[in-house]
Each structure stands twice: as structure tokens, then as C-alpha cells.
Amino acid sequence: MALREVLQFPDERLRGVAEPIDEITDEIRGLARDMCDVMYDEPGIGLAAPQLGSPVRLIVVDTEWNEEGGDKNPLILVNPEIVEASGTITWTEGCLSVPDFEAEVERAERVRLQARDLDGKEVEIEAEKLQAVCFQHEIDHLDGVLFIDRISRLKRNRYIERRKKQLRREQEEE
Ligand SMILES: [Zn+2]
């Protein structure tokens, strides 16, 4: 089965606010599977539904697995919400929707979040460091926010210029 394509900046669909999920249907379960497939294939450590063009509040995260090993054990979270955040940490972030760019972003060091799992059961998760950063990054996607919105205007504009040039080149080659 072909993997679904990850939308890339500056695609406007990355900028919408995603809708809460009222009912966990087969469609939502299928979307979660597609998201995990894409996340492990890329590979990435997290993905939000809007990145695949589905404007609903669903994220998948796996900060344990990597290409060298570890078990694939994705956290699949429906309507995730950060209910508590503390500390600050600076982390170098990248994003499957923001090609060829990494930058340091300041985030909360620890978060507590509430969500539902795919069975509709309420879950509460406490996370710190990389996992906390990843949750904040993915939940941002649900609100149409990208990590480049959280860096200095100068760095962001530099990236946007580079990206525009890259897209122009790609168009010329077609
Ligand atoms: Zn991202």
C-alpha cells in the first residue's frame, strides 16, 4: 500500500485549526495506522493528522524507536491537550513538513497531558525532555502552528527565502 504524502511548508492546510474527534470511527483508526506507517517510514518521532491533510485532533508519537532498534510502540492520542507545563528547555527541532531545516526552539521541559486512546479511554501522560518537546510540537500542528513560528523572525525569514528558492528550482526542473 502506498504511503500517504506528508504536506510541506508552505501548504496552507498546515495552517488550519484541527477539529476535535467526537467519535472514534474506522476512518479514524485507519488514519492512525496511516500516520504510524508514515512516521516509521520517514522516519520521524511524531506526526499530527493535519500533516497528512486530515484536519482532526489526532497525533502519533514514538520517541523510543529508531532505525537502529527498539520496539515500535506508538502512542496514539485523540484530542490531546496539555493541562500542565513547567520548566524550560531548548531543543533542536525539525519537522517532516518543514524540509531541510532544523533550529533551536524553547519549550516547556515537562508537560502533563490528557487525551483519549483509540478505544476512547481517557489517558493522562507525564513527559519530560524529548518526549515533552515532541508532544508540544505535535499539538502545535493541531492548532496550525509550526516550529518555525517559534524561532526568531530573522531565522524564519531566512528559511522561508531558501524554501521559496528551492520550490522555484523544483518547478523549473519539472
Ligand atoms: Zn512537525
Side-chain angles (χ1 to χ4, degrees), residues 11-113:
D11 195 305
E12 273 304 312
R13 287 169 289 178
L14 293 167
R15 292 310 198 169
V17 175
E19 292 289 329
I21 294 169
D22 295 327
E23 200 190 339
I24 296 155
T25 58
D26 284 345
E27 200 185 332
I28 294 295
R29 279 185 282 267
L31 173 60
R33 264 196 306 276
D34 288 349
M35 288 165 63
C36 290
D37 288 347
V38 169
M39 174 175 71
Y40 290 120
D41 181 70
E42 287 279 352
I45 59 174
L47 197 71
Q51 292 180 275
L52 296 188
S54 300
V56 293
R57 303 190 81 83
L58 178 67
I59 64 170
V60 299
V61 166
D62 189 345
T63 51
E64 301 294 316
W65 180 85
N66 61 51
E67 282 175 301
E68 278 87 56
D71 289 330
K72 287 182 180 174
N73 190 19
L75 277 165
I76 300 169
L77 301 175
V78 175
N79 302 336
E81 212 178 315
I82 290 168
V83 292
E84 215 178 286
S86 62
T88 52
I89 189 169
T90 302
W91 207 277
T92 303
E93 296 187 26
C95 178
L96 299 178
S97 294
V98 182
D100 309 314
F101 187 59
E102 286 187 338
E104 287 191 338
V105 183
E106 196 177 283
R107 300 275 191 185
E109 188 181 10
R110 284 172 299 278
V111 295
R112 192 157 60 84
L113 59 110

Side-chain angles (χ1 to χ4, degrees), residues 104-107 140 145-152 156:
E104 287 191 338
V105 183
E106 196 177 283
R107 300 275 191 185
D140 265 357
V145 175
L146 300 173
F147 82 96
I148 53 173
D149 302 334
R150 298 191 180 279
I151 63 177
S152 74
R156 180 169 55 250

